[in-house]
Each structure stands twice: as C-alpha cells, then as structure tokens.
C-alpha cells in the first residue's frame, strides 16, 4: 500500500482536510487520484453522499455545458445550421404559407347533399337562367353572321342542354320519391319492403322518358337518332376489309 506517499500528500489535517475540499494551505481542492484505497474508504464514511460524489468526481470528469437553443432574430431568416451536423438534402429554408383549397362537394363541413333541399334553396337561379336565355336570344337576332353569332349559338345550346338535364334529374327525383312513398305504404300494411336494384330503377326511368317523349310527339325523332348512333358504333366495331 502507498502509505508513505499518501500520508505526505494529505498533510497535517489528514482526511478531514480533504473532506473540507482543500489541502493544508487551502489554496486548491484536494485531488483524490493520489489517495490510497484505505483513505478513500475513510473519506467516504466521513463525507455526505452528495458532497462525496462531487469530491470524487473532481477533475476526472468535466461537466458538459447544455446545448444552447438556436436563436433566430427574424422568423423569415434562414435557420443557422451547425457545420458539424450534416445538412439534409431537402430542407425548408424559408417557410411558405400554403393555401389549402376546400371542395364543398367532398368536405364534411358542408354536410350531406340533399337534392330536394338544394333545389328549394336555389330555386331563384331558374328565373335568372331564364332571363339570361332570353337575353342571349335577343343578341343572337342582332348578329346575323360572324364569329360572335357562333359563340352565341354555342352558349344557347349549352344552356338548353343544362335545362334538359335539370328536367331529367327532376323527373328522376320525383320517380324516386314516388317509389319511396309506395314502399312506406306497403310497410305500414305489413308487407316486407322491397328495394329496387339500380338496373330496375334505370329501366323505370327509361320507361318514364319514353312516355314523356310520346306525349310530346318527339319519340320518332329520338328513335331515329338512337338508330343512327347505334349503327355508327356497329360500323366501327366491324373488322376492316382486306384488299
């Protein structure tokens, strides 16, 4: 054991002077690297656990300063990165506020689409469309020829197509409502409710359309257009003749 060396190092105060955190002169704290194992045990029994931990740590371990947060003077200023850390390939230098578009047709905030409620709420648009249609017809009479007349004709045709599609959609809604009331009446009578398939609903809608065309005497023209369209499709499907 290093009895002689340790006794000379400790000095007159012995272990108690080391416990106080300095040597005999009191200039600097006592280094425990040169103390013997016996003196360390004696010192551990005399000093409190927390003070002993600080004393044994001494100069052997250095306390690391906590990493200071990165301070940015301006929020639009590029962030300063450390040269010791590898910069990623894709990084956001300046934050850009992205505008997110919201489609009311597919957003839960707009609620569920009810065609009956929608038609009642925006019924005033039908009067506006009728006035616009009359205005387009008046302008069409003024322009006898030219590019402006073609644009007005295309606009009038598109408005008529929209009006026809709206009428067909309204007829389908009325048919669906009539079937719903019929199922409800049968359920009240004790019958088991029967729900039509989509193919059956299309057949009923087609039958109602034929009745409407026959009533307005437009069935023959509709059937002739249908035959020409089907003949064109069949002609395209035929194989080409080999010469």
């Amino acid at each position: 054991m290093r009895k002689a060396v340790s006794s000379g190092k400790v000095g007159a105060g012995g272990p108690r002077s080391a416990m106080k955190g300095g040597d005999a002169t009191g200039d600097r704290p006592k280094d425990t690297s040169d103390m013997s194992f016996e003196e360390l045990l004696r010192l551990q029994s005399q000093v409190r656990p927390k003070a002993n931990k600080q004393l044994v740590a001494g100069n052997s371990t250095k306390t690391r300063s906590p990493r200071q947060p990165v301070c940015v003077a301006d929020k639009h200023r590029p962030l300063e990165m450390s040269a010791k850390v590898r910069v990623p390939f894709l990084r956001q230098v300046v934050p850009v506020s992205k505008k997110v578009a919201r489609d009311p047709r597919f957003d839960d905030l707009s609620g569920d689409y009810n065609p009956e409620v929608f038609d009642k709420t925006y019924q005033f648009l039908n009067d506006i469309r009728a006035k616009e249609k009359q205005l387009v017809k008046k302008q069409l009479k003024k322009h006898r020829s030219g590019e402006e007349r073609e644009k007005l004709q295309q606009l009038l045709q598109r408005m008529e197509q929209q009006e026809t599609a709206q009428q067909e959609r309204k007829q389908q809604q009325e048919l669906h409502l009539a079937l719903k009331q019929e199922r409800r009446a049968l359920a009240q009578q004790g019958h088991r409710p029967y729900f039509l398939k989509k193919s059956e609903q299309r057949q009923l809608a087609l039958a109602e359309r034929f009745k409407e065309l026959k009533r307005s005497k437009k069935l023959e023209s509709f059937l002739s257009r249908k035959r020409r369209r089907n003949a064109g499709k069949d002609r395209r499907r035929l194989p080409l003749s080999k010469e």
Side-chain angles (χ1 to χ4, degrees):
M1 309 227 5
R2 301 166 58 185
K3 195 77 173 183
V5 178
S6 62
S7 60
K9 294 274 182 178
V10 174
R16 193 170 295 278
S17 62
M19 180 183 65
K20 294 180 180 180
D23 55 358
T25 58
D27 294 334
R28 57 185 178 83
K30 181 66 178 178
D31 190 3
T32 59
S33 60
D34 296 334
M35 296 178 64
S36 63
F37 183 70
E38 184 180 357
E39 291 175 349
L40 288 174
L41 291 177
R42 190 182 304 113
L43 182 64
Q44 185 178 3
S45 62
Q46 293 176 359
V47 185
R48 291 179 299 174
K50 185 176 181 181
N52 183 28
K53 184 177 180 180
Q54 296 176 355
L55 183 61
V56 173
N59 300 327
S60 60
T61 58
K62 297 180 180 180
T63 58
R64 298 181 180 178
S65 59
R67 187 175 181 181
Q68 297 180 355
V70 180
C71 297
V72 181
D74 188 6
K75 63 180 182 178
H76 299 295
R77 174 184 173 185
L79 184 65
E80 296 180 2
M81 305 294 292
S82 175
K84 298 180 181 180
V85 181
R86 185 176 180 181
V87 181
F89 179 72
L90 297 175
R91 65 189 181 97
Q92 189 175 4
V93 180
V94 179
V96 180
S97 58
K98 183 179 179 182
K99 294 183 179 181
V100 180
R102 188 175 71 88
D103 195 342
R105 297 175 300 172
F106 308 104
D107 199 347
D108 296 336
L109 297 176
S110 302
D112 298 331
Y113 172 69
N114 191 350
E116 298 176 1
V117 177
F118 183 83
D119 292 340
K120 290 180 181 179
T121 305
Y122 297 98
Q123 192 174 5
F124 64 94
L125 294 177
N126 297 331
D127 300 335
I128 298 176
R129 293 192 186 99
K131 293 179 181 179
E132 291 179 351
K133 187 177 179 181
Q134 295 296 331
L135 183 61
V136 171
K137 287 182 178 180
K138 289 180 181 179
Q139 292 179 359
L140 190 61
K141 291 179 180 179
K142 296 178 181 179
H143 299 83
R144 297 295 181 182
S145 62
E147 186 179 357
E148 191 68 22
R149 180 178 176 81
E150 294 180 359
K151 291 182 179 179
L152 291 173
Q153 286 179 349
Q154 292 178 0
L155 179 59
L156 182 61
Q157 185 178 2
R158 184 165 65 251
M159 295 175 71
E160 290 177 352
Q161 289 176 356
Q162 291 177 356
E163 186 177 356
T164 305
Q166 186 178 5
Q167 291 178 359
E168 291 179 358
R169 185 171 63 252
K170 188 175 181 180
Q171 291 177 0
Q172 291 179 3
Q173 291 177 4
E174 292 177 355
L175 178 61
H176 181 71
L177 183 60
L179 293 174
K180 188 176 181 180
Q181 292 177 355
E182 184 179 356
R183 288 198 304 267
R184 188 176 299 173
L186 292 174
Q188 290 178 357
Q189 295 176 5
H191 297 280
R192 185 176 181 181
Y194 175 72
F195 297 93
L196 296 176
K197 300 178 182 178
K198 291 184 178 181
S199 60
E200 295 175 351
Q201 293 179 6
R202 285 195 296 267
Q203 290 178 2
L204 290 176
L206 187 61
E208 290 293 330
R209 186 179 180 185
F210 270 84
K211 290 179 182 178
E212 183 66 26
L213 290 172
K214 190 174 182 180
R215 193 181 303 112
S216 59
K217 298 180 180 180
K218 296 180 181 179
L219 182 59
E220 294 298 330
S221 60
F222 175 77
L223 292 176
S224 61
R225 289 198 305 269
K226 193 74 172 176
R227 292 192 196 97
R228 288 197 300 268
R229 193 180 300 115
N230 293 335
K233 290 181 181 179
D234 295 338
R235 195 178 301 110
R236 287 194 298 268
R237 292 174 183 174
L238 290 175
L240 297 176
S241 60
K242 297 181 181 180
E243 296 179 356

